[in-house]
Amino acid sequence: EVQLLESGGGLVQPGGSLRLSCAASGFTFSSYAMSWVRQVPGKGLEWVSVISGNGGSTSYADSVKGRMTISRDNSKNTLWLQMNSLRAEDRAVYYCSRLDYDTSDTFDFWGQGTLVTVSP
Amino acid sequence: SYELTQPLSVSVALGQTARITCGSTNIGTKNVHWYQQRPGQAPVLVIYRSTNRPSGIPERFSGSNSGNTATLTISRAQAGDEADYYCQVWDGTVVFGGGTKLTVL
């Protein structure tokens, strides 16, 4: 059974940093691209970042480029999102998601999310 | 930038058919994916590549895509289908529609 378990969310001050983790199990982690998607409570989904299966390729939404870094350790089946220079508008639930194997264009499994709050 | 337009809300009577649209220029040339998000839960993929249903998703869920509109169709709507539904494509980057709240009356 595919499982994605996020952790690391919490309250941080504006300008602060936070690192989110996503522990994956139930599939061959290194074979799949992974992504972070966020959602302001009560609002829609916003894609944040994606990383290829071997970690060699990454991409970011313009809203987080230069402030957030996605990475992974395939030996630990873990995905991370390092978030720096956090702003009030970064407040959201952050979901870890797996991209499908064939075309890597579908988010076929999602974690339950971790809430990040940015406030003084 | 590419934008996907969804109605804010759709209502359907119990047992009837709901249709949720996702509009954009030439969306018919793209793979469209649909996600269901029940209140307080994570999104779940219900349709991928416009017309395909993942394992475990009821046959009541179907998708179509042509021209400037992709459509998620939910037949024999049930109370448990009440949720927000999002369409998604890749257009150089990931694009989500704004979401549609489905109410089953």
Side-chain angles (χ1 to χ4, degrees):
Chain A
E1 178 191 6
V2 173
Q3 290 194 350
L4 300 171
L5 183 61
E6 302 94 336
S7 60
L11 175 63
V12 62
Q13 293 186 339
S17 297
L18 211 56
R19 188 172 85 153
L20 306 183
S21 299
C22 172
S25 61
F27 63 101
T28 303
F29 184 65
S30 60
S31 295
Y32 291 82
M34 298 293 296
S35 191
W36 291 96
V37 177
R38 68 184 181 183
Q39 184 175 37
V40 174
K43 302 296 184 183
L45 300 171
E46 180 190 16
W47 171 74
V48 173
S49 182
V50 64
I51 187 168
S52 60
N54 64 10
S57 177
T58 59
S59 184
Y60 299 90
D62 287 343
S63 58
V64 307
K65 200 173 294 182
R67 300 188 300 117
M68 297 189 184
T69 302
I70 191 171
S71 61
R72 64 191 296 162
D73 185 335
N74 288 341
S75 69
K76 296 180 179 179
N77 289 352
T78 302
L79 175 74
W80 293 288
L81 183 68
Q82 177 66 45
M83 305 187 296
N84 300 328
S85 303
L86 283 163
R87 307 166 179 168
E89 56 263 35
D90 294 318
R91 172 183 174 268
V93 175
Y94 285 73
Y95 294 101
C96 163
S97 182
R98 189 183 83 168
L99 280 292
D100 76 288
Y101 181 82
D102 291 327
T103 61
S104 292
D105 69 347
T106 309
F107 301 98
D108 63 357
F109 284 95
W110 299 65
Q112 284 305 303
T114 186
L115 177 62
V116 172
T117 302
V118 184
S119 180
Chain B
S1 63
Y2 199 77
E3 294 186 359
L4 299 175
T5 301
Q6 297 183 236
L8 283 176
S9 63
V10 168
S11 297
V12 61
L14 186 68
Q16 297 304 303
T17 298
R19 294 179 178 85
I20 299 172
T21 59
C22 177
S24 195
T25 303
N26 292 326
I27 195 174
T29 64
K30 298 184 180 297
N31 286 326
V32 180
H33 317 293
W34 291 92
Y35 305 90
Q36 175 195 67
Q37 186 178 33
R38 294 188 174 108
Q41 297 187 19
V44 172
L45 178 68
V46 293
I47 293 289
Y48 65 98
R49 276 164 240 144
S50 301
T51 61
N52 299 280
R53 204 171 42 251
S55 60
I57 301 301
E59 291 183 7
R60 301 184 297 103
F61 288 80
S62 63
S64 63
N65 187 17
S66 179
N68 296 322
T69 304
T71 303
L72 172 68
T73 300
I74 305 170
S75 304
R76 303 182 299 283
Q78 302 177 0
D81 298 333
E82 277 207 347
D84 294 325
Y85 291 85
Y86 296 90
C87 57
Q88 175 251 316
V89 301
W90 279 81
D91 185 66
T93 185
V94 177
V95 182
F96 285 103
T100 298
K101 181 176 182 59
L102 177 68
T103 300
V104 179
L105 304 172

